Amino acid sequence: MPTLDPRTLQLADIVITDASNFVSHCGIVAGTSRVNTANGVVNRPDMIYHATTKKGVSADPASTWASERGKSSVFRCKALRFLSQGGKSSGACIAEAAVALSTRCTYGKGRAWVKSWTGSSDYGASAKGRVAKYLQRLGAGGPFVTELYCSEFVVLAYQLAARGDETAGYFIDLDGKHTLPKDLRNWILSRTQPGGSWSYLGELE
């Protein structure tokens, strides 16, 4: 498998560890760092946001992700190259949704170990209602705190950025509450075949 240069990451890339299906972890590239390059200072997408037991939602540099969590696969939605919303790239909108969500939620250990294993990951009425509820709460004043876990956080970031619109070219039609990292990985992998809507970029090592 090809090794991925962290400098090639883009906003909204999804990172999933290559551990066993039972203990995999995932995150989303949602932040940048100012870096000096030969062409001047640039904002490089290299901060991976992820829900974790230690910090609630953490943002860690891609350069240290693999050293701390093991080799990880990186995936990208092909449509993000062409889509924009309100004058911003859709990738940037997904990243902004992830950051907004990260400030209003905590990690739910019980949710990760109980809810993730029960129910279906199919995007049904319950999932649609949950997305609508979170959209309303994120747009309202005052505190909004919900519990979630790593793959739910990633799925919700995509769904919230799309404002729940299932026709958006990057929409992830899974029920985040019941989607383990392995389920998200399998959903993406099924769409990385020739002509598919997602790409496997390589491994962070």
Side-chain angles (χ1 to χ4, degrees):
M1 295 183 179
T3 299
L4 182 69
D5 185 337
R7 293 175 296 181
T8 65
L9 290 172
Q10 295 181 11
L11 292 176
D13 284 350
I14 293 177
V15 185
I16 306 177
T17 64
D18 294 344
S20 76
N21 284 344
F22 298 103
V23 295
S24 295
H25 188 59
C26 65
I28 179 173
V29 179
T32 62
S33 296
R34 290 180 63 81
V35 180
N36 290 317
T37 71
N39 297 318
V41 178
V42 298
N43 291 318
R44 180 175 292 160
D46 66 351
M47 298 300 293
I48 302 175
Y49 280 65
H50 58 112
T52 172
T53 54
K54 294 181 179 180
K55 303 175 183 177
V57 175
S58 178
D60 295 330
S63 58
T64 63
W65 173 275
S67 64
E68 294 180 357
R69 292 170 187 82
K71 188 163 61 175
S72 303
S73 299
V74 182
F75 302 96
R76 180 177 299 160
C77 178
K78 296 177 182 178
L80 293 179
R81 179 181 177 185
F82 309 103
L83 298 177
S84 62
Q85 300 165 222
K88 297 179 181 179
S89 70
S90 290
C93 291
I94 295 168
E96 288 181 359
V99 173
L101 188 60
S102 74
T103 64
R104 314 282 292 276
C105 64
T106 60
Y107 181 86
K109 186 174 182 180
R111 194 178 184 94
W113 288 100
V114 178
K115 296 297 183 181
S116 62
W117 296 93
T118 61
S120 169
S121 62
D122 292 342
Y123 190 66
S126 294
K128 294 177 183 180
R130 202 174 307 114
V131 170
K133 177 180 68 175
Y134 291 165
L135 281 169
Q136 182 181 37
R137 290 182 178 179
L138 282 171
F144 160 47
V145 178
T146 187
E147 290 189 343
L148 43 67
Y149 57 99
C150 65
S151 44
E152 182 179 17
F153 174 71
V154 172
V155 170
L156 274 175
Y158 270 74
Q159 294 172 340
L160 294 176
R163 309 296 297 176
D165 180 5
E166 298 172 55
T167 67
Y170 59 82
F171 194 85
I172 298 178
D173 58 348
L174 291 171
D175 185 339
K177 186 177 180 179
H178 304 293
T179 298
L180 290 164
K182 73 177 182 68
D183 300 319
L184 178 57
R185 180 195 290 115
N186 290 337
W187 185 92
I188 295 174
L189 285 174
S190 70
R191 291 160 173 79
T192 58
Q193 303 303 316
S197 54
W198 284 75
S199 296
Y200 162 70
L201 302 178
E203 302 285 314
L204 282 179
E205 297 183 350

